[in-house]
PDB file of all heavy atoms in Angstrom:
ATOM      1  N   GLY A   1     195.622  95.505  97.069  1.00 82.00           N
ATOM      2  CA  GLY A   1     196.787  96.267  97.484  1.00 82.00           C
ATOM      3  C   GLY A   1     196.463  97.614  98.084  1.00 82.00           C
ATOM      4  O   GLY A   1     197.376  98.384  98.408  1.00 82.00           O
ATOM      5  N   LYS A   2     195.180  97.940  98.252  1.00 82.00           N
ATOM      6  CA  LYS A   2     194.775  99.237  98.803  1.00 82.00           C
ATOM      7  C   LYS A   2     194.095  99.052 100.156  1.00 82.00           C
ATOM      8  O   LYS A   2     193.028  99.586 100.432  1.00 82.00           O
ATOM      9  CB  LYS A   2     193.849  99.965  97.832  1.00 82.00           C
ATOM     10  CG  LYS A   2     194.478 100.284  96.490  1.00 82.00           C
ATOM     11  CD  LYS A   2     195.665 101.242  96.632  1.00 82.00           C
ATOM     12  CE  LYS A   2     196.247 101.605  95.267  1.00 82.00           C
ATOM     13  NZ  LYS A   2     197.400 102.535  95.399  1.00 82.00           N
ATOM     14  N   SER A   3     194.726  98.277 101.001  1.00 78.00           N
ATOM     15  CA  SER A   3     194.242  98.069 102.354  1.00 78.00           C
ATOM     16  C   SER A   3     195.328  98.522 103.321  1.00 78.00           C
ATOM     17  O   SER A   3     196.497  98.142 103.178  1.00 78.00           O
ATOM     18  CB  SER A   3     193.922  96.582 102.579  1.00 78.00           C
ATOM     19  OG  SER A   3     193.529  96.343 103.900  1.00 78.00           O
ATOM     20  N   TYR A   4     194.966  99.353 104.294  1.00 74.00           N
ATOM     21  CA  TYR A   4     195.971  99.980 105.152  1.00 74.00           C
ATOM     22  C   TYR A   4     195.543  99.931 106.617  1.00 74.00           C
ATOM     23  O   TYR A   4     194.365 100.105 106.936  1.00 74.00           O
ATOM     24  CB  TYR A   4     196.180 101.452 104.772  1.00 74.00           C
ATOM     25  CG  TYR A   4     196.429 101.687 103.302  1.00 74.00           C
ATOM     26  CD1 TYR A   4     195.377 101.996 102.438  1.00 74.00           C
ATOM     27  CD2 TYR A   4     197.716 101.595 102.766  1.00 74.00           C
ATOM     28  CE1 TYR A   4     195.597 102.206 101.085  1.00 74.00           C
ATOM     29  CE2 TYR A   4     197.945 101.820 101.413  1.00 74.00           C
ATOM     30  CZ  TYR A   4     196.884 102.118 100.582  1.00 74.00           C
ATOM     31  OH  TYR A   4     197.091 102.339  99.238  1.00 74.00           O
ATOM     32  N   ASN A   5     196.518  99.708 107.493  1.00 70.00           N
ATOM     33  CA  ASN A   5     196.337  99.947 108.915  1.00 70.00           C
ATOM     34  C   ASN A   5     197.021 101.271 109.244  1.00 70.00           C
ATOM     35  O   ASN A   5     198.208 101.441 108.959  1.00 70.00           O
ATOM     36  CB  ASN A   5     196.953  98.817 109.740  1.00 70.00           C
ATOM     37  CG  ASN A   5     196.199  97.519 109.595  1.00 70.00           C
ATOM     38  OD1 ASN A   5     194.978  97.522 109.432  1.00 70.00           O
ATOM     39  ND2 ASN A   5     196.903  96.400 109.643  1.00 70.00           N
ATOM     40  N   VAL A   6     196.283 102.193 109.833  1.00 71.00           N
ATOM     41  CA  VAL A   6     196.811 103.540 110.048  1.00 71.00           C
ATOM     42  C   VAL A   6     196.656 103.928 111.513  1.00 71.00           C
ATOM     43  O   VAL A   6     195.789 103.409 112.227  1.00 71.00           O
ATOM     44  CB  VAL A   6     196.097 104.565 109.147  1.00 71.00           C
ATOM     45  CG1 VAL A   6     196.326 104.239 107.684  1.00 71.00           C
ATOM     46  CG2 VAL A   6     194.599 104.596 109.436  1.00 71.00           C
ATOM     47  N   LEU A   7     197.490 104.829 111.954  1.00 68.00           N
ATOM     48  CA  LEU A   7     197.484 105.296 113.332  1.00 68.00           C
ATOM     49  C   LEU A   7     196.903 106.706 113.384  1.00 68.00           C
ATOM     50  O   LEU A   7     197.288 107.568 112.601  1.00 68.00           O
ATOM     51  CB  LEU A   7     198.920 105.296 113.879  1.00 68.00           C
ATOM     52  CG  LEU A   7     199.110 105.586 115.365  1.00 68.00           C
ATOM     53  CD1 LEU A   7     198.462 104.500 116.214  1.00 68.00           C
ATOM     54  CD2 LEU A   7     200.602 105.692 115.684  1.00 68.00           C
ATOM     55  N   ASN A   8     195.976 106.921 114.280  1.00 64.00           N
ATOM     56  CA  ASN A   8     195.378 108.218 114.575  1.00 64.00           C
ATOM     57  C   ASN A   8     194.303 108.658 113.584  1.00 64.00           C
ATOM     58  O   ASN A   8     193.215 109.032 113.985  1.00 64.00           O
ATOM     59  CB  ASN A   8     196.431 109.333 114.670  1.00 64.00           C
ATOM     60  CG  ASN A   8     197.325 109.170 115.874  1.00 64.00           C
ATOM     61  OD1 ASN A   8     196.938 108.556 116.853  1.00 64.00           O
ATOM     62  ND2 ASN A   8     198.519 109.725 115.783  1.00 64.00           N
ATOM     63  N   GLU A   9     194.607 108.667 112.290  1.00 66.00           N
ATOM     64  CA  GLU A   9     193.638 109.253 111.362  1.00 66.00           C
ATOM     65  C   GLU A   9     193.892 108.749 109.946  1.00 66.00           C
ATOM     66  O   GLU A   9     194.948 108.194 109.635  1.00 66.00           O
ATOM     67  CB  GLU A   9     193.738 110.776 111.376  1.00 66.00           C
ATOM     68  CG  GLU A   9     195.103 111.289 110.956  1.00 66.00           C
ATOM     69  CD  GLU A   9     195.271 112.776 111.208  1.00 66.00           C
ATOM     70  OE1 GLU A   9     194.523 113.337 112.029  1.00 66.00           O
ATOM     71  OE2 GLU A   9     196.145 113.370 110.572  1.00 66.00           O
ATOM     72  N   VAL A  10     192.883 108.963 109.091  1.00 68.00           N
ATOM     73  CA  VAL A  10     192.971 108.647 107.666  1.00 68.00           C
ATOM     74  C   VAL A  10     192.739 109.934 106.882  1.00 68.00           C
ATOM     75  O   VAL A  10     191.808 110.686 107.167  1.00 68.00           O
ATOM     76  CB  VAL A  10     191.916 107.598 107.252  1.00 68.00           C
ATOM     77  CG1 VAL A  10     192.037 107.299 105.760  1.00 68.00           C
ATOM     78  CG2 VAL A  10     192.061 106.328 108.060  1.00 68.00           C
ATOM     79  N   TRP A  11     193.595 110.212 105.920  1.00 68.00           N
ATOM     80  CA  TRP A  11     193.425 111.370 105.042  1.00 68.00           C
ATOM     81  C   TRP A  11     193.097 110.855 103.651  1.00 68.00           C
ATOM     82  O   TRP A  11     193.852 110.077 103.062  1.00 68.00           O
ATOM     83  CB  TRP A  11     194.703 112.204 105.018  1.00 68.00           C
ATOM     84  CG  TRP A  11     194.603 113.422 104.152  1.00 68.00           C
ATOM     85  CD1 TRP A  11     193.595 114.336 104.135  1.00 68.00           C
ATOM     86  CD2 TRP A  11     195.550 113.860 103.174  1.00 68.00           C
ATOM     87  NE1 TRP A  11     193.862 115.321 103.221  1.00 68.00           N
ATOM     88  CE2 TRP A  11     195.048 115.059 102.613  1.00 68.00           C
ATOM     89  CE3 TRP A  11     196.782 113.364 102.737  1.00 68.00           C
ATOM     90  CZ2 TRP A  11     195.734 115.748 101.624  1.00 68.00           C
ATOM     91  CZ3 TRP A  11     197.455 114.055 101.750  1.00 68.00           C
ATOM     92  CH2 TRP A  11     196.939 115.239 101.209  1.00 68.00           C
ATOM     93  N   ILE A  12     191.979 111.280 103.116  1.00 67.00           N
ATOM     94  CA  ILE A  12     191.513 110.829 101.808  1.00 67.00           C
ATOM     95  C   ILE A  12     191.506 112.017 100.861  1.00 67.00           C
ATOM     96  O   ILE A  12     190.899 113.051 101.151  1.00 67.00           O
ATOM     97  CB  ILE A  12     190.111 110.209 101.895  1.00 67.00           C
ATOM     98  CG1 ILE A  12     190.137 109.013 102.859  1.00 67.00           C
ATOM     99  CG2 ILE A  12     189.625 109.788 100.525  1.00 67.00           C
ATOM    100  CD1 ILE A  12     188.779 108.449 103.136  1.00 67.00           C
ATOM    101  N   CYS A  13     192.192 111.862  99.735  1.00 64.00           N
ATOM    102  CA  CYS A  13     192.284 112.941  98.754  1.00 64.00           C
ATOM    103  C   CYS A  13     191.705 112.461  97.431  1.00 64.00           C
ATOM    104  O   CYS A  13     192.144 111.443  96.894  1.00 64.00           O
ATOM    105  CB  CYS A  13     193.739 113.375  98.582  1.00 64.00           C
ATOM    106  SG  CYS A  13     193.977 114.652  97.330  1.00 64.00           S
ATOM    107  N   CYS A  14     190.731 113.175  96.912  1.00 58.00           N
ATOM    108  CA  CYS A  14     190.135 112.845  95.613  1.00 58.00           C
ATOM    109  C   CYS A  14     190.451 113.966  94.625  1.00 58.00           C
ATOM    110  O   CYS A  14     190.375 115.141  94.954  1.00 58.00           O
ATOM    111  CB  CYS A  14     188.625 112.698  95.736  1.00 58.00           C
ATOM    112  SG  CYS A  14     188.100 111.330  96.784  1.00 58.00           S
ATOM    113  N   SER A  15     190.824 113.598  93.406  1.00 53.00           N
ATOM    114  CA  SER A  15     191.083 114.593  92.372  1.00 53.00           C
ATOM    115  C   SER A  15     190.540 114.074  91.046  1.00 53.00           C
ATOM    116  O   SER A  15     190.076 112.944  90.949  1.00 53.00           O
ATOM    117  CB  SER A  15     192.582 114.889  92.278  1.00 53.00           C
ATOM    118  OG  SER A  15     193.296 113.728  91.897  1.00 53.00           O
ATOM    119  N   SER A  16     190.624 114.881  89.999  1.00 45.00           N
ATOM    120  CA  SER A  16     190.005 114.533  88.720  1.00 45.00           C
ATOM    121  C   SER A  16     190.588 113.268  88.119  1.00 45.00           C
ATOM    122  O   SER A  16     189.887 112.492  87.475  1.00 45.00           O
ATOM    123  CB  SER A  16     190.161 115.701  87.749  1.00 45.00           C
ATOM    124  OG  SER A  16     191.548 116.005  87.566  1.00 45.00           O
ATOM    125  N   PHE A  17     191.896 113.017  88.333  1.00 41.00           N
ATOM    126  CA  PHE A  17     192.489 111.845  87.701  1.00 41.00           C
ATOM    127  C   PHE A  17     192.300 110.595  88.546  1.00 41.00           C
ATOM    128  O   PHE A  17     192.497 109.487  88.069  1.00 41.00           O
ATOM    129  CB  PHE A  17     193.985 112.062  87.441  1.00 41.00           C
ATOM    130  CG  PHE A  17     194.814 112.248  88.679  1.00 41.00           C
ATOM    131  CD1 PHE A  17     195.347 111.153  89.350  1.00 41.00           C
ATOM    132  CD2 PHE A  17     195.073 113.520  89.164  1.00 41.00           C
ATOM    133  CE1 PHE A  17     196.119 111.331  90.482  1.00 41.00           C
ATOM    134  CE2 PHE A  17     195.837 113.691  90.310  1.00 41.00           C
ATOM    135  CZ  PHE A  17     196.353 112.608  90.973  1.00 41.00           C
ATOM    136  N   VAL A  18     191.893 110.765  89.785  1.00 43.00           N
ATOM    137  CA  VAL A  18     191.646 109.591  90.618  1.00 43.00           C
ATOM    138  C   VAL A  18     190.294 108.989  90.297  1.00 43.00           C
ATOM    139  O   VAL A  18     190.120 107.776  90.281  1.00 43.00           O
ATOM    140  CB  VAL A  18     191.736 109.970  92.121  1.00 43.00           C
ATOM    141  CG1 VAL A  18     191.333 108.784  92.986  1.00 43.00           C
ATOM    142  CG2 VAL A  18     193.152 110.412  92.462  1.00 43.00           C
ATOM    143  N   GLY A  19     189.311 109.849  89.999  1.00 41.00           N
ATOM    144  CA  GLY A  19     187.981 109.358  89.740  1.00 41.00           C
ATOM    145  C   GLY A  19     187.255 109.073  91.038  1.00 41.00           C
ATOM    146  O   GLY A  19     187.666 109.476  92.126  1.00 41.00           O
ATOM    147  N   PHE A  20     186.174 108.338  90.937  1.00 39.00           N
ATOM    148  CA  PHE A  20     185.370 108.055  92.122  1.00 39.00           C
ATOM    149  C   PHE A  20     186.120 107.112  93.056  1.00 39.00           C
ATOM    150  O   PHE A  20     186.685 106.113  92.637  1.00 39.00           O
ATOM    151  CB  PHE A  20     184.042 107.418  91.703  1.00 39.00           C
ATOM    152  CG  PHE A  20     183.207 106.958  92.872  1.00 39.00           C
ATOM    153  CD1 PHE A  20     182.510 107.868  93.646  1.00 39.00           C
ATOM    154  CD2 PHE A  20     183.155 105.617  93.198  1.00 39.00           C
ATOM    155  CE1 PHE A  20     181.748 107.442  94.716  1.00 39.00           C
ATOM    156  CE2 PHE A  20     182.407 105.191  94.272  1.00 39.00           C
ATOM    157  CZ  PHE A  20     181.689 106.104  95.035  1.00 39.00           C
ATOM    158  N   MET A  21     186.115 107.445  94.334  1.00 39.00           N
ATOM    159  CA  MET A  21     186.777 106.580  95.309  1.00 39.00           C
ATOM    160  C   MET A  21     185.890 106.489  96.548  1.00 39.00           C
ATOM    161  O   MET A  21     185.479 107.500  97.101  1.00 39.00           O
ATOM    162  CB  MET A  21     188.151 107.127  95.693  1.00 39.00           C
ATOM    163  CG  MET A  21     188.887 106.264  96.716  1.00 39.00           C
ATOM    164  SD  MET A  21     190.594 106.836  96.962  1.00 39.00           S
ATOM    165  CE  MET A  21     190.309 108.457  97.655  1.00 39.00           C
ATOM    166  N   ALA A  22     185.592 105.296  96.932  1.00 39.00           N
ATOM    167  CA  ALA A  22     184.838 105.088  98.160  1.00 39.00           C
ATOM    168  C   ALA A  22     185.791 104.547  99.212  1.00 39.00           C
ATOM    169  O   ALA A  22     186.880 104.048  98.903  1.00 39.00           O
ATOM    170  CB  ALA A  22     183.704 104.088  97.916  1.00 39.00           C
ATOM    171  N   HIS A  23     185.408 104.661 100.444  1.00 40.00           N
ATOM    172  CA  HIS A  23     186.275 104.152 101.496  1.00 40.00           C
ATOM    173  C   HIS A  23     185.434 103.528 102.598  1.00 40.00           C
ATOM    174  O   HIS A  23     184.252 103.783 102.739  1.00 40.00           O
ATOM    175  CB  HIS A  23     187.142 105.275 102.074  1.00 40.00           C
ATOM    176  CG  HIS A  23     186.377 106.253 102.905  1.00 40.00           C
ATOM    177  ND1 HIS A  23     185.655 107.274 102.340  1.00 40.00           N
ATOM    178  CD2 HIS A  23     186.218 106.345 104.251  1.00 40.00           C
ATOM    179  CE1 HIS A  23     185.080 107.979 103.298  1.00 40.00           C
ATOM    180  NE2 HIS A  23     185.398 107.441 104.469  1.00 40.00           N
ATOM    181  N   ARG A  24     186.073 102.686 103.352  1.00 42.00           N
ATOM    182  CA  ARG A  24     185.411 102.045 104.456  1.00 42.00           C
ATOM    183  C   ARG A  24     186.405 101.917 105.595  1.00 42.00           C
ATOM    184  O   ARG A  24     187.562 101.529 105.380  1.00 42.00           O
ATOM    185  CB  ARG A  24     184.923 100.645 104.037  1.00 42.00           C
ATOM    186  CG  ARG A  24     184.223  99.877 105.166  1.00 42.00           C
ATOM    187  CD  ARG A  24     183.761  98.512 104.663  1.00 42.00           C
ATOM    188  NE  ARG A  24     184.891  97.681 104.296  1.00 42.00           N
ATOM    189  CZ  ARG A  24     184.824  96.661 103.459  1.00 42.00           C
ATOM    190  NH1 ARG A  24     183.685  96.382 102.876  1.00 42.00           N
ATOM    191  NH2 ARG A  24     185.891  95.938 103.191  1.00 42.00           N
ATOM    192  N   LEU A  25     185.983 102.258 106.778  1.00 41.00           N
ATOM    193  CA  LEU A  25     186.817 102.118 107.959  1.00 41.00           C
ATOM    194  C   LEU A  25     186.205 101.028 108.837  1.00 41.00           C
ATOM    195  O   LEU A  25     185.007 101.023 109.083  1.00 41.00           O
ATOM    196  CB  LEU A  25     186.893 103.433 108.747  1.00 41.00           C
ATOM    197  CG  LEU A  25     187.431 104.643 107.982  1.00 41.00           C
ATOM    198  CD1 LEU A  25     187.416 105.869 108.889  1.00 41.00           C
ATOM    199  CD2 LEU A  25     188.838 104.373 107.485  1.00 41.00           C
ATOM    200  N   ASN A  26     187.040 100.126 109.276  1.00 43.00           N
ATOM    201  CA  ASN A  26     186.541  99.084 110.172  1.00 43.00           C
ATOM    202  C   ASN A  26     187.681  98.573 111.037  1.00 43.00           C
ATOM    203  O   ASN A  26     188.815  99.045 110.957  1.00 43.00           O
ATOM    204  CB  ASN A  26     185.914  97.927 109.374  1.00 43.00           C
ATOM    205  CG  ASN A  26     186.852  97.375 108.313  1.00 43.00           C
ATOM    206  OD1 ASN A  26     188.053  97.311 108.533  1.00 43.00           O
ATOM    207  ND2 ASN A  26     186.322  96.992 107.168  1.00 43.00           N
ATOM    208  N   SER A  27     187.381  97.617 111.892  1.00 44.00           N
ATOM    209  CA  SER A  27     188.369  96.883 112.678  1.00 44.00           C
ATOM    210  C   SER A  27     189.326  97.798 113.433  1.00 44.00           C
ATOM    211  O   SER A  27     190.424  98.098 112.963  1.00 44.00           O
ATOM    212  CB  SER A  27     189.182  95.937 111.783  1.00 44.00           C
ATOM    213  OG  SER A  27     188.330  95.022 111.160  1.00 44.00           O
ATOM    214  N   LEU A  28     188.913  98.272 114.585  1.00 45.00           N
ATOM    215  CA  LEU A  28     189.809  99.060 115.417  1.00 45.00           C
ATOM    216  C   LEU A  28     190.890  98.141 115.990  1.00 45.00           C
ATOM    217  O   LEU A  28     190.602  97.116 116.589  1.00 45.00           O
ATOM    218  CB  LEU A  28     189.028  99.724 116.557  1.00 45.00           C
ATOM    219  CG  LEU A  28     188.067 100.842 116.129  1.00 45.00           C
ATOM    220  CD1 LEU A  28     187.333 101.378 117.353  1.00 45.00           C
ATOM    221  CD2 LEU A  28     188.820 101.956 115.451  1.00 45.00           C
ATOM    222  N   LEU A  29     192.133  98.515 115.770  1.00 46.00           N
ATOM    223  CA  LEU A  29     193.273  97.746 116.271  1.00 46.00           C
ATOM    224  C   LEU A  29     194.015  98.593 117.278  1.00 46.00           C
ATOM    225  O   LEU A  29     193.962  99.817 117.253  1.00 46.00           O
ATOM    226  CB  LEU A  29     194.212  97.367 115.116  1.00 46.00           C
ATOM    227  CG  LEU A  29     193.566  96.617 113.953  1.00 46.00           C
ATOM    228  CD1 LEU A  29     194.559  96.489 112.812  1.00 46.00           C
ATOM    229  CD2 LEU A  29     193.092  95.254 114.408  1.00 46.00           C
ATOM    230  N   ARG A  30     194.761  97.965 118.156  1.00 46.00           N
ATOM    231  CA  ARG A  30     195.457  98.703 119.199  1.00 46.00           C
ATOM    232  C   ARG A  30     196.966  98.584 119.034  1.00 46.00           C
ATOM    233  O   ARG A  30     197.501  97.532 118.727  1.00 46.00           O
ATOM    234  CB  ARG A  30     195.070  98.191 120.598  1.00 46.00           C
ATOM    235  CG  ARG A  30     193.622  98.475 120.984  1.00 46.00           C
ATOM    236  CD  ARG A  30     193.394  98.137 122.449  1.00 46.00           C
ATOM    237  NE  ARG A  30     191.996  98.204 122.820  1.00 46.00           N
ATOM    238  CZ  ARG A  30     191.369  99.291 123.221  1.00 46.00           C
ATOM    239  NH1 ARG A  30     192.027 100.429 123.286  1.00 46.00           N
ATOM    240  NH2 ARG A  30     190.098  99.267 123.555  1.00 46.00           N
ATOM    241  N   VAL A  31     197.645  99.710 119.243  1.00 48.00           N
ATOM    242  CA  VAL A  31     199.096  99.741 119.391  1.00 48.00           C
ATOM    243  C   VAL A  31     199.354 100.315 120.767  1.00 48.00           C
ATOM    244  O   VAL A  31     198.731 101.285 121.169  1.00 48.00           O
ATOM    245  CB  VAL A  31     199.759 100.648 118.331  1.00 48.00           C
ATOM    246  CG1 VAL A  31     201.264 100.651 118.497  1.00 48.00           C
ATOM    247  CG2 VAL A  31     199.400 100.154 116.935  1.00 48.00           C
ATOM    248  N   TRP A  32     200.281  99.743 121.502  1.00 48.00           N
ATOM    249  CA  TRP A  32     200.495 100.242 122.848  1.00 48.00           C
ATOM    250  C   TRP A  32     201.920 100.711 123.023  1.00 48.00           C
ATOM    251  O   TRP A  32     202.857 100.122 122.548  1.00 48.00           O
ATOM    252  CB  TRP A  32     200.086  99.233 123.897  1.00 48.00           C
ATOM    253  CG  TRP A  32     200.433  97.807 123.662  1.00 48.00           C
ATOM    254  CD1 TRP A  32     200.597  97.149 122.475  1.00 48.00           C
ATOM    255  CD2 TRP A  32     200.620  96.814 124.659  1.00 48.00           C
ATOM    256  NE1 TRP A  32     200.881  95.839 122.663  1.00 48.00           N
ATOM    257  CE2 TRP A  32     200.904  95.603 123.994  1.00 48.00           C
ATOM    258  CE3 TRP A  32     200.575  96.818 126.045  1.00 48.00           C
ATOM    259  CZ2 TRP A  32     201.154  94.418 124.683  1.00 48.00           C
ATOM    260  CZ3 TRP A  32     200.817  95.643 126.714  1.00 48.00           C
ATOM    261  CH2 TRP A  32     201.094  94.452 126.044  1.00 48.00           C
ATOM    262  N   PHE A  33     202.063 101.852 123.719  1.00 48.00           N
ATOM    263  CA  PHE A  33     203.331 102.514 123.912  1.00 48.00           C
ATOM    264  C   PHE A  33     203.684 102.517 125.384  1.00 48.00           C
ATOM    265  O   PHE A  33     202.850 102.785 126.248  1.00 48.00           O
ATOM    266  CB  PHE A  33     203.252 103.976 123.421  1.00 48.00           C
ATOM    267  CG  PHE A  33     202.991 104.103 121.955  1.00 48.00           C
ATOM    268  CD1 PHE A  33     201.715 104.053 121.445  1.00 48.00           C
ATOM    269  CD2 PHE A  33     204.045 104.267 121.070  1.00 48.00           C
ATOM    270  CE1 PHE A  33     201.466 104.171 120.095  1.00 48.00           C
ATOM    271  CE2 PHE A  33     203.806 104.387 119.709  1.00 48.00           C
ATOM    272  CZ  PHE A  33     202.529 104.353 119.226  1.00 48.00           C
ATOM    273  N   VAL A  34     204.935 102.229 125.679  1.00 50.00           N
ATOM    274  CA  VAL A  34     205.406 102.345 127.047  1.00 50.00           C
ATOM    275  C   VAL A  34     205.528 103.815 127.403  1.00 50.00           C
ATOM    276  O   VAL A  34     206.081 104.611 126.637  1.00 50.00           O
ATOM    277  CB  VAL A  34     206.754 101.631 127.232  1.00 50.00           C
ATOM    278  CG1 VAL A  34     207.302 101.857 128.636  1.00 50.00           C
ATOM    279  CG2 VAL A  34     206.602 100.146 126.956  1.00 50.00           C
ATOM    280  N   PHE A  35     204.982 104.188 128.537  1.00 43.00           N
ATOM    281  CA  PHE A  35     204.926 105.581 128.960  1.00 43.00           C
ATOM    282  C   PHE A  35     206.170 105.925 129.775  1.00 43.00           C
ATOM    283  O   PHE A  35     206.587 105.176 130.639  1.00 43.00           O
ATOM    284  CB  PHE A  35     203.663 105.798 129.800  1.00 43.00           C
ATOM    285  CG  PHE A  35     203.481 107.196 130.317  1.00 43.00           C
ATOM    286  CD1 PHE A  35     203.380 108.257 129.443  1.00 43.00           C
ATOM    287  CD2 PHE A  35     203.424 107.443 131.681  1.00 43.00           C
ATOM    288  CE1 PHE A  35     203.207 109.552 129.923  1.00 43.00           C
ATOM    289  CE2 PHE A  35     203.256 108.718 132.165  1.00 43.00           C
ATOM    290  CZ  PHE A  35     203.149 109.766 131.284  1.00 43.00           C
TER     291      PHE A  35
END
């Protein structure tokens, strides 16, 4: 349940109650906007 598709950027916040958290970025996907 902790898999996300995000636009532009990823913000990762670690704190004492979260504990150790690793992350991985992969699979560039495209969204296209009409100009």
Side-chain angles (χ1 to χ4, degrees):
K2 298 297 183 180
S3 177
Y4 309 94
N5 291 327
V6 298
L7 188 64
N8 292 335
E9 61 190 20
V10 180
W11 181 48
I12 301 173
C13 177
C14 296
S15 63
S16 58
F17 63 88
V18 174
F20 174 76
M21 180 172 64
H23 71 279
R24 179 179 64 203
L25 302 179
N26 53 36
S27 300
L28 291 178
L29 305 172
R30 293 189 188 273
V31 181
W32 41 332
F33 297 84
V34 175
F35 179 60

